[in-house]
Tab-separated table of all heavy atoms in Angstrom:
chain	number	residue	atom	x	y	z
A	196	LYS	N	220.802	108.484	43.609
A	196	LYS	CA	221.044	109.737	42.887
A	196	LYS	C	222.405	109.729	42.188
A	196	LYS	O	222.548	110.244	41.072
A	196	LYS	CB	220.963	110.925	43.850
A	196	LYS	CG	219.555	111.265	44.326
A	196	LYS	CD	219.601	112.468	45.265
A	196	LYS	CE	218.210	112.883	45.702
A	196	LYS	NZ	218.228	114.070	46.598
A	197	ARG	N	223.393	109.123	42.844
A	197	ARG	CA	224.743	109.093	42.273
A	197	ARG	C	224.865	108.099	41.119
A	197	ARG	O	225.677	108.299	40.204
A	197	ARG	CB	225.776	108.729	43.349
A	197	ARG	CG	226.049	109.797	44.368
A	197	ARG	CD	227.319	109.471	45.168
A	197	ARG	NE	227.263	108.153	45.804
A	197	ARG	CZ	226.803	107.943	47.040
A	197	ARG	NH1	226.351	108.963	47.760
A	197	ARG	NH2	226.789	106.727	47.552
A	198	ASN	N	224.089	107.029	41.155
A	198	ASN	CA	224.356	105.898	40.259
A	198	ASN	C	223.280	105.600	39.223
A	198	ASN	O	223.571	104.899	38.242
A	198	ASN	CB	224.578	104.631	41.095
A	198	ASN	CG	225.848	104.698	41.914
A	198	ASN	OD1	226.942	104.481	41.410
A	198	ASN	ND2	225.713	105.005	43.199
A	199	TYR	N	222.057	106.073	39.413
A	199	TYR	CA	220.943	105.578	38.599
A	199	TYR	C	221.167	105.802	37.099
A	199	TYR	O	221.046	104.868	36.294
A	199	TYR	CB	219.623	106.226	39.036
A	199	TYR	CG	218.437	105.706	38.261
A	199	TYR	CD1	217.945	104.426	38.495
A	199	TYR	CD2	217.839	106.469	37.265
A	199	TYR	CE1	216.873	103.925	37.770
A	199	TYR	CE2	216.764	105.983	36.536
A	199	TYR	CZ	216.286	104.712	36.787
A	199	TYR	OH	215.231	104.224	36.064
A	200	LEU	N	221.511	107.011	36.714
A	200	LEU	CA	221.652	107.293	35.282
A	200	LEU	C	222.795	106.501	34.654
A	200	LEU	O	222.687	106.041	33.516
A	200	LEU	CB	221.857	108.800	35.066
A	200	LEU	CG	220.653	109.685	35.417
A	200	LEU	CD1	220.971	111.146	35.125
A	200	LEU	CD2	219.403	109.251	34.659
A	201	SER	N	223.882	106.330	35.417
A	201	SER	CA	224.999	105.562	34.856
A	201	SER	C	224.621	104.098	34.662
A	201	SER	O	225.103	103.443	33.728
A	201	SER	CB	226.230	105.687	35.766
A	201	SER	OG	225.990	105.092	37.029
A	202	TRP	N	223.751	103.552	35.531
A	202	TRP	CA	223.301	102.167	35.356
A	202	TRP	C	222.597	101.990	34.013
A	202	TRP	O	222.764	100.978	33.338
A	202	TRP	CB	222.338	101.768	36.466
A	202	TRP	CG	222.990	101.542	37.792
A	202	TRP	CD1	224.322	101.358	38.040
A	202	TRP	CD2	222.328	101.470	39.059
A	202	TRP	NE1	224.529	101.179	39.388
A	202	TRP	CE2	223.324	101.232	40.030
A	202	TRP	CE3	221.003	101.572	39.465
A	202	TRP	CZ2	223.026	101.112	41.386
A	202	TRP	CZ3	220.690	101.446	40.809
A	202	TRP	CH2	221.701	101.222	41.768
A	203	LEU	N	221.781	102.972	33.645
A	203	LEU	CA	221.012	102.858	32.401
A	203	LEU	C	221.915	102.925	31.182
A	203	LEU	O	221.608	102.336	30.140
A	203	LEU	CB	219.963	103.971	32.326
A	203	LEU	CG	218.910	103.996	33.451
A	203	LEU	CD1	217.937	105.133	33.218
A	203	LEU	CD2	218.166	102.663	33.542
A	204	ASN	N	223.035	103.631	31.309
A	204	ASN	CA	223.904	103.840	30.160
A	204	ASN	C	225.164	102.983	30.195
A	204	ASN	O	225.868	102.874	29.196
A	204	ASN	CB	224.271	105.326	30.068
A	204	ASN	CG	223.028	106.188	29.875
A	204	ASN	OD1	222.352	106.089	28.864
A	204	ASN	ND2	222.704	107.010	30.854
A	205	GLU	N	225.453	102.369	31.372
A	205	GLU	CA	226.584	101.445	31.502
A	205	GLU	C	226.074	100.175	32.185
A	205	GLU	O	226.340	99.936	33.360
A	205	GLU	CB	227.705	102.089	32.321
A	205	GLU	CG	228.263	103.358	31.711
A	205	GLU	CD	229.209	104.073	32.664
A	205	GLU	OE1	229.738	103.411	33.584
A	205	GLU	OE2	229.384	105.291	32.505
A	206	PRO	N	225.345	99.352	31.467
A	206	PRO	CA	224.646	98.209	32.077
A	206	PRO	C	225.551	97.193	32.766
A	206	PRO	O	225.080	96.438	33.618
A	206	PRO	CB	223.900	97.577	30.899
A	206	PRO	CG	224.502	98.157	29.664
A	206	PRO	CD	225.051	99.482	30.038
A	207	ASP	N	226.838	97.173	32.435
A	207	ASP	CA	227.731	96.211	33.088
A	207	ASP	C	227.851	96.472	34.582
A	207	ASP	O	228.149	95.557	35.357
A	207	ASP	CB	229.129	96.264	32.455
A	207	ASP	CG	229.149	95.699	31.045
A	207	ASP	OD1	228.173	95.010	30.686
A	207	ASP	OD2	230.119	95.959	30.304
A	208	GLU	N	227.634	97.709	35.002
A	208	GLU	CA	227.735	98.084	36.425
A	208	GLU	C	226.387	98.040	37.121
A	208	GLU	O	226.305	98.262	38.329
A	208	GLU	CB	228.328	99.497	36.547
A	208	GLU	CG	229.697	99.671	35.905
A	208	GLU	CD	230.745	98.790	36.562
A	208	GLU	OE1	230.688	98.634	37.804
A	208	GLU	OE2	231.596	98.246	35.835
A	209	ALA	N	225.346	97.785	36.369
A	209	ALA	CA	223.987	97.926	36.912
A	209	ALA	C	223.504	96.647	37.582
A	209	ALA	O	223.944	95.542	37.250
A	209	ALA	CB	223.033	98.298	35.781
A	210	PRO	N	222.567	96.787	38.520
A	210	PRO	CA	221.879	95.608	39.046
A	210	PRO	C	220.897	95.081	38.007
A	210	PRO	O	220.675	95.719	36.969
A	210	PRO	CB	221.141	96.164	40.260
A	210	PRO	CG	220.864	97.597	39.908
A	210	PRO	CD	222.057	98.040	39.101
A	211	LEU	N	220.337	93.925	38.269
A	211	LEU	CA	219.223	93.462	37.449
A	211	LEU	C	218.066	94.429	37.645
A	211	LEU	O	217.667	94.713	38.772
A	211	LEU	CB	218.803	92.053	37.862
A	211	LEU	CG	217.610	91.456	37.121
A	211	LEU	CD1	217.891	91.332	35.626
A	211	LEU	CD2	217.241	90.094	37.705
A	212	MET	N	217.545	94.955	36.535
A	212	MET	CA	216.478	95.954	36.604
A	212	MET	C	215.284	95.506	35.765
A	212	MET	O	215.347	94.512	35.031
A	212	MET	CB	217.002	97.316	36.147
A	212	MET	CG	218.159	97.828	37.029
A	212	MET	SD	218.882	99.378	36.457
A	212	MET	CE	217.607	100.529	36.984
A	213	SER	N	214.207	96.266	35.860
A	213	SER	CA	212.915	95.885	35.287
A	213	SER	C	213.016	95.423	33.840
A	213	SER	O	212.460	94.379	33.468
A	213	SER	CB	211.936	97.064	35.383
A	213	SER	OG	211.883	97.577	36.689
A	214	HIS	N	213.708	96.188	33.012
A	214	HIS	CA	213.720	95.916	31.571
A	214	HIS	C	214.507	94.665	31.194
A	214	HIS	O	214.398	94.189	30.063
A	214	HIS	CB	214.246	97.138	30.815
A	214	HIS	CG	215.607	97.590	31.242
A	214	HIS	ND1	215.850	98.096	32.494
A	214	HIS	CD2	216.804	97.614	30.592
A	214	HIS	CE1	217.121	98.431	32.600
A	214	HIS	NE2	217.732	98.127	31.473
A	215	ASN	N	215.307	94.137	32.132
A	215	ASN	CA	216.061	92.908	31.849
A	215	ASN	C	215.530	91.695	32.618
A	215	ASN	O	216.120	90.618	32.547
A	215	ASN	CB	217.541	93.114	32.198
A	215	ASN	CG	218.241	94.008	31.190
A	215	ASN	OD1	217.993	93.920	30.000
A	215	ASN	ND2	219.093	94.907	31.684
A	216	LEU	N	214.449	91.866	33.353
A	216	LEU	CA	213.972	90.808	34.239
A	216	LEU	C	213.563	89.551	33.470
A	216	LEU	O	213.985	88.440	33.806
A	216	LEU	CB	212.796	91.315	35.076
A	216	LEU	CG	212.329	90.368	36.179
A	216	LEU	CD1	213.388	90.232	37.260
A	216	LEU	CD2	211.020	90.858	36.790
A	217	VAL	N	212.729	89.696	32.446
A	217	VAL	CA	212.268	88.528	31.685
A	217	VAL	C	213.439	87.863	30.962
A	217	VAL	O	213.555	86.626	30.941
A	217	VAL	CB	211.160	88.934	30.694
A	217	VAL	CG1	210.826	87.780	29.757
A	217	VAL	CG2	209.904	89.372	31.452
A	218	LYS	N	214.317	88.686	30.409
A	218	LYS	CA	215.488	88.150	29.705
A	218	LYS	C	216.337	87.275	30.628
A	218	LYS	O	216.801	86.193	30.236
A	218	LYS	CB	216.322	89.308	29.159
A	218	LYS	CG	217.640	88.880	28.532
A	218	LYS	CD	218.474	90.095	28.167
A	218	LYS	CE	219.878	89.697	27.726
A	218	LYS	NZ	220.736	90.881	27.464
A	219	GLU	N	216.545	87.717	31.881
A	219	GLU	CA	217.449	87.018	32.793
A	219	GLU	C	216.768	85.903	33.591
A	219	GLU	O	217.405	84.914	33.943
A	219	GLU	CB	218.080	88.027	33.769
A	219	GLU	CG	218.957	89.076	33.104
A	219	GLU	CD	220.182	88.476	32.446
A	219	GLU	OE1	220.681	87.442	32.951
A	219	GLU	OE2	220.648	89.025	31.424
A	220	LYS	N	215.474	86.066	33.888
A	220	LYS	CA	214.817	85.140	34.809
A	220	LYS	C	213.830	84.183	34.145
A	220	LYS	O	213.479	83.158	34.729
A	220	LYS	CB	214.081	85.933	35.904
A	220	LYS	CG	214.995	86.725	36.825
A	220	LYS	CD	215.862	85.802	37.663
A	220	LYS	CE	216.682	86.572	38.690
A	220	LYS	NZ	217.499	85.677	39.535
A	221	VAL	N	213.366	84.507	32.955
A	221	VAL	CA	212.334	83.678	32.311
A	221	VAL	C	212.868	82.973	31.064
A	221	VAL	O	212.721	81.750	30.918
A	221	VAL	CB	211.093	84.525	31.957
A	221	VAL	CG1	210.067	83.677	31.184
A	221	VAL	CG2	210.458	85.101	33.228
A	222	LEU	N	213.501	83.729	30.180
A	222	LEU	CA	213.921	83.144	28.898
A	222	LEU	C	214.884	81.965	29.044
A	222	LEU	O	214.787	81.003	28.274
A	222	LEU	CB	214.547	84.223	27.996
A	222	LEU	CG	213.628	85.393	27.596
A	222	LEU	CD1	214.273	86.200	26.473
A	222	LEU	CD2	212.237	84.918	27.184
A	223	PRO	N	215.817	81.977	30.019
A	223	PRO	CA	216.703	80.802	30.144
A	223	PRO	C	215.955	79.494	30.371
A	223	PRO	O	216.370	78.443	29.871
A	223	PRO	CB	217.584	81.155	31.349
A	223	PRO	CG	217.617	82.655	31.365
A	223	PRO	CD	216.251	83.072	30.923
A	224	HIS	N	214.832	79.542	31.101
A	224	HIS	CA	214.037	78.324	31.316
A	224	HIS	C	213.363	77.882	30.020
A	224	HIS	O	213.311	76.688	29.700
A	224	HIS	CB	212.993	78.563	32.406
A	224	HIS	CG	213.571	78.900	33.753
A	224	HIS	ND1	214.440	78.064	34.411
A	224	HIS	CD2	213.410	79.984	34.536
A	224	HIS	CE1	214.788	78.616	35.565
A	224	HIS	NE2	214.181	79.775	35.660
A	225	LEU	N	212.850	78.856	29.266
A	225	LEU	CA	212.206	78.519	27.994
A	225	LEU	C	213.221	77.911	27.026
A	225	LEU	O	212.898	76.986	26.267
A	225	LEU	CB	211.572	79.771	27.379
A	225	LEU	CG	210.398	80.394	28.155
A	225	LEU	CD1	209.921	81.660	27.455
A	225	LEU	CD2	209.246	79.410	28.302
A	226	ASN	N	214.439	78.421	27.064
A	226	ASN	CA	215.483	77.883	26.183
A	226	ASN	C	215.829	76.438	26.523
A	226	ASN	O	216.352	75.696	25.682
A	226	ASN	CB	216.740	78.752	26.263
A	226	ASN	CG	216.583	80.044	25.476
A	226	ASN	OD1	215.909	80.071	24.454
A	226	ASN	ND2	217.200	81.118	25.958
A	227	LYS	N	215.543	76.041	27.768
A	227	LYS	CA	215.779	74.654	28.186
A	227	LYS	C	214.528	73.791	28.034
A	227	LYS	O	214.417	72.718	28.623
A	227	LYS	CB	216.241	74.624	29.639
A	227	LYS	CG	217.586	75.283	29.872
A	227	LYS	CD	217.912	75.315	31.364
A	227	LYS	CE	219.218	76.058	31.618
A	227	LYS	NZ	219.504	76.171	33.077
A	228	GLN	N	213.556	74.286	27.272
A	228	GLN	CA	212.289	73.574	27.024
A	228	GLN	C	211.488	73.391	28.315
A	228	GLN	O	210.744	72.422	28.473
A	228	GLN	CB	212.543	72.194	26.374
A	228	GLN	CG	213.484	72.215	25.201
A	228	GLN	CD	213.031	73.156	24.110
A	228	GLN	OE1	211.869	73.159	23.718
A	228	GLN	NE2	213.937	73.993	23.607
A	229	GLN	N	211.643	74.319	29.248
A	229	GLN	CA	210.929	74.260	30.524
A	229	GLN	C	209.730	75.203	30.486
A	229	GLN	O	209.855	76.366	30.131
A	229	GLN	CB	211.872	74.687	31.664
A	229	GLN	CG	211.233	74.762	33.035
A	229	GLN	CD	210.964	73.390	33.607
A	229	GLN	OE1	211.865	72.615	33.848
A	229	GLN	NE2	209.692	73.088	33.827
A	230	LYS	N	208.557	74.687	30.816
A	230	LYS	CA	207.370	75.538	30.886
A	230	LYS	C	207.501	76.491	32.075
A	230	LYS	O	208.011	76.118	33.138
A	230	LYS	CB	206.105	74.706	31.029
A	230	LYS	CG	205.763	73.868	29.798
A	230	LYS	CD	204.494	73.057	30.032
A	230	LYS	CE	204.168	72.165	28.832
A	230	LYS	NZ	203.739	72.933	27.665
A	231	VAL	N	207.017	77.731	31.906
A	231	VAL	CA	207.175	78.752	32.936
A	231	VAL	C	205.836	79.450	33.201
A	231	VAL	O	205.122	79.821	32.265
A	231	VAL	CB	208.215	79.819	32.529
A	231	VAL	CG1	208.353	80.892	33.619
A	231	VAL	CG2	209.564	79.181	32.245
A	232	PHE	N	205.523	79.613	34.481
A	232	PHE	CA	204.451	80.504	34.903
A	232	PHE	C	205.114	81.746	35.495
A	232	PHE	O	205.785	81.669	36.530
A	232	PHE	CB	203.535	79.835	35.934
A	232	PHE	CG	202.453	78.999	35.320
A	232	PHE	CD1	202.758	77.797	34.707
A	232	PHE	CD2	201.125	79.419	35.334
A	232	PHE	CE1	201.770	77.005	34.129
A	232	PHE	CE2	200.127	78.642	34.756
A	232	PHE	CZ	200.452	77.435	34.155
A	233	PHE	N	204.960	82.858	34.809
A	233	PHE	CA	205.556	84.134	35.220
A	233	PHE	C	204.464	84.933	35.941
A	233	PHE	O	203.531	85.427	35.320
A	233	PHE	CB	206.076	84.883	33.993
A	233	PHE	CG	206.731	86.196	34.295
A	233	PHE	CD1	207.747	86.297	35.230
A	233	PHE	CD2	206.334	87.346	33.627
A	233	PHE	CE1	208.358	87.510	35.494
A	233	PHE	CE2	206.935	88.565	33.869
A	233	PHE	CZ	207.950	88.651	34.817
Side-chain angles (χ1 to χ4, degrees):
K196 288 181 177 181
R197 288 194 304 269
N198 293 281
Y199 182 73
L200 293 182
S201 65
W202 286 344
L203 299 181
N204 299 296
E205 299 171 22
D207 290 344
E208 302 297 322
L211 178 61
M212 299 176 76
S213 309
H214 57 294
N215 287 321
L216 188 67
V217 171
K218 174 187 172 184
E219 297 295 329
K220 295 294 186 178
V221 175
L222 298 193
H224 298 302
L225 294 177
N226 283 327
K227 295 175 184 176
Q228 312 303 313
Q229 176 73 63
K230 292 179 182 290
V231 179
F232 275 71
F233 181 52

